[in-house]
């Protein structure tokens, strides 16, 4: 199981599968790269190389106490892409991973990336700002943080119930819960504060590669009106693709459609 050592000697786990044009996946909070299992199946069959990163604090990566800001995450992604010497990457970020991808494109001048796929992205702004009253009230987010501090198992179960628009099996929900429980508690709390407070609007101006914004119309976590539509308007090269039968978890709500879209975009 390969790891990449990043700048502060943290070991970041990387699942590198297949050959061909690379698609690099950045998972959402509080999960890990395994959430993309049903994307890997199809994309590998289509001849793509799938690279899944467990962000620091999550999955099989090291879980240091400390910084879980977007700059740190973006620098870790750069270290992985450099270590694997990837070129022509399609960078696919889901939820918090979409925020990390947005920051990466600006902070690292789109290095090694030829296409950007933002899936239900927690970007560019989630909560209210003085000049963005459309955002969510922090009071809607803070219970997740407090829950992670006091009863993370219950918080993960409750959060899982908000992810999907279509019915999922009990076994699927148990699996999603188990992925969240692989994270460290401190990373779960600290990175939730990151995506709660971030303002990535200025980063959008630096994105020039072809960009697809895939977003569920019924998303209750990152509502399309304050995220997907704003990204599509703010990134000159972006196209918004609405998933009319999806909530936040479009990877499971409309798996086959999303897979078709990714195959077409990354080809």
């Amino acid at each position: 199981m390969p790891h990449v050592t990043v700048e502060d000697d943290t070991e970041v786990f990387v699942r590198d599968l297949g050959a061909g044009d690379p698609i690099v996946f950045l998972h959402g909070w509080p999960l890990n790269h395994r959430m993309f299992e049903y994307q890997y199946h199809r994309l590998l069959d289509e001849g793509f190389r799938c690279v899944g990163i467990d962000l620091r604090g999550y999955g099989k990566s090291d879980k240091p106490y400390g910084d879980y800001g977007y700059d740190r995450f973006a620098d870790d992604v750069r270290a992985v892409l450099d270590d694997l010497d990837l070129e022509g990457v399609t960078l696919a970020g889901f939820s918090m991973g979409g925020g990390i991808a947005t920051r990466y494109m600006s902070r690292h001048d789109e290095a090694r990336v030829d296409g950007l796929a933002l899936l239900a992205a927690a970007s560019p702004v989630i909560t209210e700002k003085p000049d963005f009253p459309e955002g969510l009230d922090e009071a809607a987010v803070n219970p997740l943080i407090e829950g992670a501090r006091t009863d993370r198992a219950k918080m993960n179960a409750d959060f899982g119930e908000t992810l999907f628009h279509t019915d999922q099996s009990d076994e699927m929900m148990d699996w999603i819960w188990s992925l969240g429980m692989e994270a460290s508690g401190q990373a779960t709390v600290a990175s939730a504060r990151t995506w709660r407070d971030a303002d990535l609007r200025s980063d959008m101006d630096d994105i020039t590669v072809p960009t697809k914004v895939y977003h569920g119309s019924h998303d209750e976590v990152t509502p399309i009106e304050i995220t997907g539509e704003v990204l599509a308007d703010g990134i000159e090269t972006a196209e918004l693709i609405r998933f009319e039968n999806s909530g936040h978890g479009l990877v499971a709500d409309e798996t086959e459609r999303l897979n078709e879209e990714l195959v077409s975009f990354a080809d």
Side-chain angles (χ1 to χ4, degrees):
M1 294 183 179
H3 288 76
V4 172
T5 304
V6 300
E7 183 178 357
D8 63 346
D9 292 327
T10 295
E11 296 285 314
V12 172
F13 177 82
V14 180
R15 176 63 54 80
D16 188 0
L17 303 169
D21 295 334
I23 306 176
V24 174
F25 290 89
L26 307 179
H27 64 80
W29 179 92
L31 308 176
N32 58 59
H33 86 278
R34 292 169 60 205
M35 66 163 288
F36 297 110
E37 177 175 337
Y38 302 104
Q39 281 64 61
Y40 298 154
H41 289 320
R42 173 64 189 281
L43 293 164
L44 290 168
D45 286 346
E46 294 287 342
F48 291 97
R49 179 179 180 182
C50 294
V51 178
I53 300 173
D54 280 352
L55 301 168
R56 64 170 58 219
Y58 295 88
K60 293 182 172 65
S61 288
D62 284 353
K63 300 170 174 64
Y65 184 86
D67 181 11
Y68 286 89
Y70 276 150
D71 287 351
R72 170 58 73 187
F73 282 132
D75 292 351
D76 290 350
V77 173
R78 177 64 187 269
V80 171
L81 269 57
D82 287 348
D83 187 84
L84 298 182
D85 195 24
L86 298 177
E87 297 289 352
V89 167
T90 297
L91 184 61
F94 171 80
S95 195
M96 182 179 74
I100 296 166
T102 306
R103 173 51 51 88
Y104 176 90
M105 298 299 282
S106 175
R107 183 171 173 83
H108 291 287
D109 196 28
E110 304 182 314
R112 300 182 179 271
V113 175
D114 284 356
L116 179 64
L118 298 173
L119 288 64
S123 177
V125 184
I126 299 299
T127 54
E128 290 178 340
K129 301 291 185 287
D131 62 342
F132 192 69
E134 302 88 350
L136 299 175
D137 190 322
E138 280 193 15
V141 176
N142 289 339
L144 294 174
I145 297 172
E146 185 59 26
R149 292 175 60 88
T150 59
D151 190 344
R152 188 161 61 94
K154 184 178 187 304
M155 182 281 294
N156 275 337
D158 291 344
F159 182 65
E161 294 295 329
T162 71
L163 295 181
F164 304 109
H165 180 63
T166 60
D167 290 336
Q168 303 295 323
S169 68
D170 291 343
E171 292 80 6
M172 173 67 85
M173 299 304 295
D174 289 346
W175 180 64
I176 293 293
W177 178 87
S178 73
L179 298 185
M181 293 308 296
E182 292 182 27
S184 80
Q186 194 261 330
T188 302
V189 170
S191 51
R193 290 173 176 154
T194 292
W195 57 255
R196 178 194 66 186
D197 298 338
D199 187 344
L200 306 175
R201 285 176 288 180
S202 64
D203 292 351
M204 295 190 294
D205 294 335
D206 299 325
I207 298 173
T208 65
V209 302
T211 299
K212 291 293 181 71
V213 179
Y214 304 112
H215 218 104
S217 296
H218 303 279
D219 193 329
E220 297 178 2
V221 178
T222 57
I224 192 170
E225 296 83 5
I226 67 170
T227 54
E229 292 179 1
V230 175
L231 288 166
D233 288 342
I235 299 173
E236 186 174 353
T237 56
E239 178 185 2
L240 175 62
I241 308 297
R242 297 175 182 270
F243 283 66
E244 299 294 351
N245 201 35
S246 287
H248 191 58
L250 71 169
V251 294
D253 274 331
E254 294 187 73
T255 306
E256 291 307 315
R257 184 184 174 204
L258 177 62
N259 292 348
E260 292 285 350
E261 291 282 354
L262 290 172
V263 168
S264 176
F265 180 53
D267 192 9

